[in-house]
Each structure stands twice: as C-alpha cells, then as structure tokens.
Amino acid sequence: MTARAGTLALLLCAVPAQSHETAPPRDGQHDFDFEIGTWKTRLRRLQRPLTGSTTWLEYEGTSVVRKIWNGRANLVELEADGPTGHLQVLSLRLYNPQARQWSLHYANSNDGTLSQPTIGEFKNGRGEFYDQESFNGRTIWVRNVWSDITPTSCRFEQAFSDDGGKTWEVNWIAVDTRVKE
C-alpha cells in the first residue's frame, strides 16, 4: 500500500458514519381538529366561474364540524343565506393513514350527491387539496386551500384552473370565526 492510499484509508476510517435515519412520516390524522366546533362563516362566491365574471355573491351563516373516528374523519354542515337563497352544504373528510392524505367530499342539498373528492394534505399550517372534474362540459383542475388557521379563525378558498394549473381563478372564499360555546 502506498503512503497516499494508507492516508486515504486512515481518513475514511476516521470519518464518523453518517446516519441515514429519517424522521418518521408525518401523521396528519388530526389536521382538521382545529375546526371541530361551531363557526360563524362569511363567504363570497363568484357568480359565474371561468366566464370572466367579476360578480361576487355574499353569504352569512353557520358551520358545524363534528369529529368522527377519533379525528380520522369529520363531518361539516354549512348553512348560509345570501342573494340566491339558502345554501346547505355537507362535507365529509376522510383521512387515509397509508397515504397520509385527506379526501374531501362535498354535497349540497339541491342534488344530494357526494362530489368527487379533492385530495391532499397539510404542510406548514396550510392545507392544499386537488382534483380534476368536469365543469360546463370541460375538464378542469380544482384546488381547495385552508390557510390563516388560528384557534379562533380560518380561511378556505376554492379555485378553478382551465389551463392545467398554470393560472387559478378563486371562486369561493370563506372566513370562519369560532362561536364561543
């Protein structure tokens, strides 16, 4: 062995082995626990999404969120009144422990069917959920975002994209404030 090879071998032995252990994957089954309870909601809804419309309709109401399966699911009942009448919306949120993601299903009282779910997760206090669905005969992307989460308030936005996610048009904004119980 040459002196150079011996020095290299000595250096390699002297370098501590680096651990390749990583933190266990994040368990997000309690991501929506912040929302359990009763909320006053103020929401704005774009009257005609993806048409260039800038007319927003404003509603006020109440949202009640119930924990199911020890937090791995929850049920949301939203009732609000505005210029087009009374809205009744139901949301069923289910946590998939293998994928570590949530699926968010919606229904309204007008048609009584569950929508295709948006799927996603929370990172750094922000939840993002996506799907593709048909809207006015076209396939679009849908994005739901939960943000500005505090113990007494939160914000929800829904946006549509008809260009593959390059641009997004927000069409539903809800700001919720916790009702003191």
Side-chain angles (χ1 to χ4, degrees), residues 113-171:
T113 60
L114 281 177
S115 68
Q116 176 173 316
T118 56
I119 297 173
E121 61 194 292
F122 282 81
K123 290 182 181 171
N124 301 317
R126 177 183 167 96
E128 290 191 20
F129 307 85
Y130 296 89
D131 79 353
Q132 273 190 308
E133 54 190 69
S134 179
F135 182 76
N136 291 337
R138 296 170 39 198
T139 300
I140 64 164
W141 281 97
V142 177
R143 177 183 71 196
N144 293 333
V145 174
W146 288 94
S147 63
D148 302 333
I149 299 167
T150 74
T152 58
S153 65
C154 60
R155 178 183 173 95
F156 170 81
E157 282 187 5
Q158 176 181 271
F160 291 168
S161 174
D162 62 358
D163 61 9
K166 292 177 188 147
T167 61
W168 293 92
E169 177 186 78
V170 174
N171 59 57

Side-chain angles (χ1 to χ4, degrees), residues 8-180:
L8 181 58
L10 183 60
L11 287 174
L12 288 175
C13 292
V15 175
Q18 292 190 10
S19 171
H20 293 289
E21 293 179 32
T22 59
R26 186 179 166 283
D27 180 2
Q29 76 175 1
H30 294 287
D31 285 341
F32 279 106
D33 283 3
F34 74 88
E35 203 188 12
I36 303 304
T38 303
W39 299 79
K40 179 179 178 180
T41 188
R42 298 181 66 102
L43 66 91
R44 295 178 33 181
R45 182 172 70 95
L46 192 59
Q47 188 172 23
R48 287 184 300 281
L50 298 178
T51 64
S53 170
T54 58
T55 302
W56 288 84
L57 305 173
E58 297 191 20
Y59 296 79
E60 288 192 27
T62 303
S63 179
V64 178
V65 184
R66 292 176 183 83
K67 185 187 290 192
I68 303 170
W69 297 342
N70 194 32
R72 292 184 320 274
N74 61 59
L75 187 66
V76 181
E77 292 179 88
L78 167 67
E79 293 201 33
D81 293 297
T84 62
H86 188 68
L87 294 177
Q88 289 181 295
V89 178
L90 181 75
S91 177
L92 174 63
R93 302 175 185 146
L94 303 168
Y95 183 69
N96 179 328
Q98 286 78 35
R100 300 185 188 290
Q101 292 181 314
W102 286 88
S103 60
L104 285 52
H105 308 257
Y106 297 94
N108 68 57
S109 61
N110 292 336
D111 63 21
T113 60
L114 281 177
S115 68
Q116 176 173 316
T118 56
I119 297 173
E121 61 194 292
F122 282 81
K123 290 182 181 171
N124 301 317
R126 177 183 167 96
E128 290 191 20
F129 307 85
Y130 296 89
D131 79 353
Q132 273 190 308
E133 54 190 69
S134 179
F135 182 76
N136 291 337
R138 296 170 39 198
T139 300
I140 64 164
W141 281 97
V142 177
R143 177 183 71 196
N144 293 333
V145 174
W146 288 94
S147 63
D148 302 333
I149 299 167
T150 74
T152 58
S153 65
C154 60
R155 178 183 173 95
F156 170 81
E157 282 187 5
Q158 176 181 271
F160 291 168
S161 174
D162 62 358
D163 61 9
K166 292 177 188 147
T167 61
W168 293 92
E169 177 186 78
V170 174
N171 59 57
W172 183 290
I173 301 168
V175 176
D176 292 355
T177 307
R178 185 175 299 281
V179 173
K180 293 181 184 179

